[in-house]
Amino acid sequence: MELTVAMLISAIAIGLMYSAYAIISHSYLSFVDRNNTTGMLALLDQRLNRDIDKAEMIYRDSNTVTMSSHIDTVIYSFQADRVIRQKLLTDTFKVSTESFITSFESVPVEGNPTDGEAKKIDDLQIVLLTEGQKIPYHYHKTYSSVNLFQPIN
């Protein structure tokens, strides 16, 4: 009888320990997942800021933004379920894009140019979806007059 009571108490204690472990493990995995998503968004924001600051000219063509300078060219492709950054290596940010709006001198620039030529932009607004939340980002490029001046031939 005493042995049965001891085994019953041991089984209850082991069950409680396993339940506590499962709850803590689930909370930790949820934290890690949320932390990875936040880190990815912060990295995307950092890369966009840096690439826009370094770019001499920024162009939009369809769903891509091309940032060119005398050193290199960076291409961002905004797709429905990911953002792809192409430089020497390709970075993929797995985040949904809800809206993607560009303009030049406060005039909206559409994604499909009519003359087949990429259009200059100085303002980029994107809304990303993550974990059911909309996160707006806004970037503005201030051009030098040297970059915008085009001599007449």
Side-chain angles (χ1 to χ4, degrees):
M1 181 70 178
E2 296 166 353
L3 184 61
T4 306
V5 171
M7 287 177 54
L8 180 63
I9 292 173
S10 296
I12 291 172
I14 290 172
L16 287 173
M17 294 296 173
Y18 179 75
S19 296
Y21 171 76
I23 291 170
I24 291 171
S25 175
H26 177 70
S27 295
Y28 177 74
L29 291 176
S30 173
F31 169 77
V32 167
D33 186 41
R34 196 172 311 128
N35 193 28
N36 287 339
T37 302
T38 304
M40 179 187 55
L41 289 173
L43 182 62
L44 175 61
D45 182 45
Q46 175 195 25
R47 296 276 168 95
L48 270 169
N49 271 323
R50 186 183 64 199
D51 291 337
I52 287 172
D53 286 342
K54 287 184 176 183
E56 293 172 3
M57 292 301 291
I58 303 174
Y59 301 98
R60 177 178 180 177
D61 180 25
S62 186
N63 67 340
T64 62
V65 173
T66 304
M67 302 172 194
S68 61
S69 69
H70 66 282
I71 297 172
D72 60 359
T73 299
V74 181
I75 299 171
Y76 282 87
S77 176
F78 294 91
Q79 300 174 5
D81 60 342
R82 70 181 63 100
V83 176
I84 299 173
R85 176 185 181 264
Q86 296 174 343
K87 193 174 176 181
L88 293 175
L89 299 173
T90 300
D91 294 329
T92 302
F93 301 95
K94 295 178 182 169
V95 61
S96 299
T97 305
E98 183 181 270
S99 66
F100 171 59
I101 302 167
T102 55
S103 63
F104 183 70
E105 296 180 350
S106 300
V107 176
V109 175
E110 295 300 320
N112 297 319
T114 55
D115 57 1
E117 185 177 310
K119 302 287 186 177
K120 292 179 200 165
I121 64 170
D122 65 356
D123 196 68
L124 169 64
Q125 297 177 24
I126 54 176
V127 176
L128 303 176
L129 289 173
T130 180
E131 298 177 5
Q133 295 180 349
K134 297 178 183 180
I135 303 172
Y137 288 96
H138 182 254
Y139 305 95
H140 185 76
K141 173 69 176 175
T142 303
Y143 286 108
S144 167
S145 61
V146 173
N147 293 335
L148 294 177
F149 179 70
Q150 295 178 352
I152 299 174
N153 293 335

